[in-house]
Amino acid sequence: MPTLEKIEQTSRRIDDHIFRTPLVYSPTLSSQFDAHIYLKLENLQKTGSFKIRGAAAKLVRGCMQNTISAKGVVTASAGNHAQGVALAAREAGLPATVVMPQWSSISKREATRGYGGNIIINGATLEESVARAREIAKEGMTFIHPFDDEDIICGQGTIGLEILSVLPDVETIIVPVGGGGLIAGIGSVIKATNPRIRVIGVEAAACPSARMALRAGKCVSVPAEPSLADGISVKQLGEIPFRMIRKTVDELVTVQEADIAASMQILLDRKKLLAEGAGAAPLAALLNGSVRHRRDEKIVLLVSGGNVDIPLLGRIMRIRLTLSDRPGVLARLLNKVAALEANILHIYHDRSAQRSAIDETRVELELETRNDAHIREIENALKADGYAMEPTDCSGQGAGPTDPPVRV
């Protein structure tokens, strides 16, 4: 089980592989909540998330003890853990394979590839992706679980050490909770150092797996609704984190999507900080009043990451086609686009377009792509299959009046 001593050892091992991120005081938020509010900025960490800490801890210790296969490592993740493992493996000179679910964003896939990861798209859920990664590991690779692993938890726990080194008289730390590895590590450090410091976990109400686990007395799988905080939308808490959370976490609260969105906006507008949904969840817990605090209390909000999935200009492609209005034709087109690894943002299907014959229908698609080369690849593949595309803007600007807005 991760302990303060183990986490301190981990901190020394990974010190050259991570950033010691800032802990900054926010006068604006402090005034708003009548408390002393500090932000631990893991959105400024390597790969834009705290996940590199756990990944580095696993790889560095494994290489020291020769427990990592020479064939490399394999893991499963929808984004931040994927990037952390890919970077840590590259620095260790090892190949990394990452299984990502089908719904994972193109931007996070590309970021993982950029760090050297070999991407496999498999699974309708993260749990299915984990199962596939375990199968691949049987071929001789070392499997790295995204949160249910002692080394991973020790790596994440180093954040607690950094907070205490800068603000030893902190009174409350508010931490996002997904699989539980982050809060388990931080809670272990805090409670071993000063049990009077409150450790509060925040979940998205769309996926309260930790709350349900504590209520059931065991880890259970819960349904997950779409959430801005996709980084903490984990259907089942890890077994090791579950045991640790029961001992080291004082309270668990949930936040709604509107609270998360408002907190992301506040951090951007008032602090010029780009925080992903999970990273904004601690502020959301203050905003909605679910975390009660005393006047002048010293509170740290953990901004766990800043990898916001925004379709950037230059990656948006719009195509207009006229199709035969027969069953299955549109489905075949969408399957083709999916096979080309484009993300469908909007579909506009118009049977009444003036230029269409009675047996034809007009379709407009807005796609998120990797880059300009990917746009050309999609165009060529569709033309090769006989699709006649009308000229349109591929940059996300200058669209016609019937085009749906680009979401940014």
Side-chain angles (χ1 to χ4, degrees), residues 1 8 30 62 79 86 95 97 110 112 147 157-158 170 174 218 228-229 266 286 292 298 303 321 363 384 391:
M1 190 71 68
E8 289 173 337
S30 296
T97 296
E110 286 305 293
T112 303
F147 48 82
T158 60
V170 60
I174 308 178
K218 61 180 180 179
L228 288 169
I266 288 171
L286 280 183
R292 297 182 179 276
K298 292 185 177 180
V303 183
L321 311 95
V363 174

Side-chain angles (χ1 to χ4, degrees), residues 1 124 298 352-353 361 386 390 399:
M1 190 71 68
K298 292 185 177 180
S352 61
T361 182
E390 299 177 29

Side-chain angles (χ1 to χ4, degrees), residues 133-195:
R134 289 188 185 277
E135 291 177 5
I136 295 172
K138 295 176 182 178
E139 301 172 6
M141 303 179 78
T142 299
F143 173 71
I144 300 179
H145 198 283
F147 48 82
D148 204 8
D149 179 285
E150 291 194 9
D151 288 327
I152 294 289
I153 293 170
C154 284
Q156 323 305 26
T158 60
I159 296 173
L161 296 176
E162 291 182 17
I163 292 173
L164 291 175
S165 70
V166 177
L167 192 68
D169 56 345
V170 60
E171 295 171 273
T172 296
I173 301 175
I174 308 178
V175 184
V177 179
L182 175 61
I183 198 168
I186 292 175
S188 181
V189 168
I190 298 304
K191 293 304 181 181
T193 305
N194 183 352

